Amino acid sequence: MADLFPETIATDRLRLEPLGPDDVDVFELYDICSSDPGIEDVTEYVTWSPHETPKETLEFLEHAEEKREDHEGVSYVVRPREGEDGAGEIAGTAGGGIDWDKRTMTLGFWLRKRFWGRGYSGERAAAFMALAFDRLDVELVAVTALEDNEQSNRAIEKYTEAHGGGREGLLRNYHLDDMDDGEPVDCYRYSVSQAEWNENPTDVAVTFEE
């Protein structure tokens, strides 16, 4: 079966590699997702909790591989390139789910706390926008963040506005909070259209590798 997605994506400072059970060491990722320093801060505003068993990590990897095989989305492990502090280490993961009927890719991203503050979020977003718009001909890239996640909202607003998009508004009771007994929470949604991207392309060098 043909693969719509590149094997790896390289940017100025990052290398995005396949996220799957045959590509990532389960126990290495389990150590990060269960007990990495700052993991509670990392998972405070995302859709998953710290992993309790290696089986949970394996299922996470299998789910990512299944979505890719079904062409419903793609996820990568994020590794800083040579010259960066922590080069070659797993810094986090990045993914994009695709609704082909709506021609929309929705992005998701998390980083280990020691890699915060480097501007990797915007660089990863530029890579996924290049993938969505230039390769997959998607019409819209969307990102959501919990209303009270100020750090992510600042970062997302910055990189979506840089490409001509920005905040659309507040989606009430949009997401169920896994960390709070499934209570509904409000999210801000941001987006960039293909037309906006074409008028405001990235200055990040993005390379797809098959």
Side-chain angles (χ1 to χ4, degrees):
M1 180 182 294
D3 195 346
L4 296 176
F5 310 110
E7 182 73 8
T8 61
I9 304 175
T11 67
D12 296 334
R13 299 180 295 160
L14 302 174
R15 183 173 175 82
L16 310 184
E17 300 178 349
L19 183 69
D22 295 328
D23 305 295
V24 177
D25 185 285
V26 172
F27 295 100
E28 179 184 5
L29 187 60
Y30 170 65
D31 286 343
I32 293 170
C33 292
S34 64
S35 56
D36 198 54
I39 192 64
E40 296 291 345
D41 294 328
V42 171
T43 58
E44 182 177 1
Y45 296 112
V46 298
T47 59
W48 54 277
S49 305
H51 292 185
E52 296 183 358
T53 65
K55 180 176 181 291
E56 188 174 351
T57 305
L58 177 60
E59 290 171 348
F60 171 74
L61 292 170
E62 290 173 338
H63 178 68
E65 184 175 63
E66 181 180 334
K67 287 194 68 173
R68 179 175 183 137
E69 290 175 348
D70 292 340
H71 299 138
E72 294 178 353
V74 64
S75 294
Y76 297 93
V77 64
V78 178
R79 298 184 189 273
R81 296 182 64 178
E82 186 176 354
E84 292 290 299
D85 182 27
E89 294 184 35
I90 295 176
T93 70
I98 304 177
D99 186 326
W100 292 103
D101 293 332
K102 296 180 180 178
R103 301 193 69 179
T104 298
M105 176 183 278
T106 301
L107 306 185
F109 182 57
W110 64 271
L111 280 176
R112 297 167 64 186
K113 193 168 184 178
R114 60 172 291 214
F115 292 97
W116 289 6
R118 301 188 186 185
Y120 286 167
S121 180
E123 194 162 322
R124 175 273 329 181
F128 269 83
M129 289 184 199
L131 171 64
F133 296 132
D134 300 339
R135 180 174 174 123
L136 301 177
D137 198 26
V138 168
E139 292 182 354
L140 192 75
V141 166
V143 193
T144 61
L146 297 184
E147 181 183 16
D148 57 353
N149 186 353
E150 296 180 1
Q151 181 175 332
S152 288
N153 279 296
R154 285 195 301 269
I156 296 168
E157 189 162 39
K158 181 179 179 179
Y159 68 67
T160 53
E161 289 184 348
H163 299 299
R167 181 185 291 182
E168 296 179 357
L170 183 67
L171 306 176
R172 300 188 185 280
N173 285 13
Y174 180 76
H175 177 70
L176 295 180
D177 188 351
D178 292 347
M179 302 293 287
D180 192 21
D181 297 323
E183 285 296 311
V185 291
D186 298 343
C187 294
Y188 286 114
R189 172 169 145 141
Y190 306 78
S191 65
V192 176
S193 70
Q194 188 180 79
E196 291 166 341
W197 166 263
N198 290 337
E199 293 177 1
N200 303 272
T202 182
D203 58 1
V204 174
V206 179
T207 304
F208 301 140
E209 303 174 7
E210 305 301 335

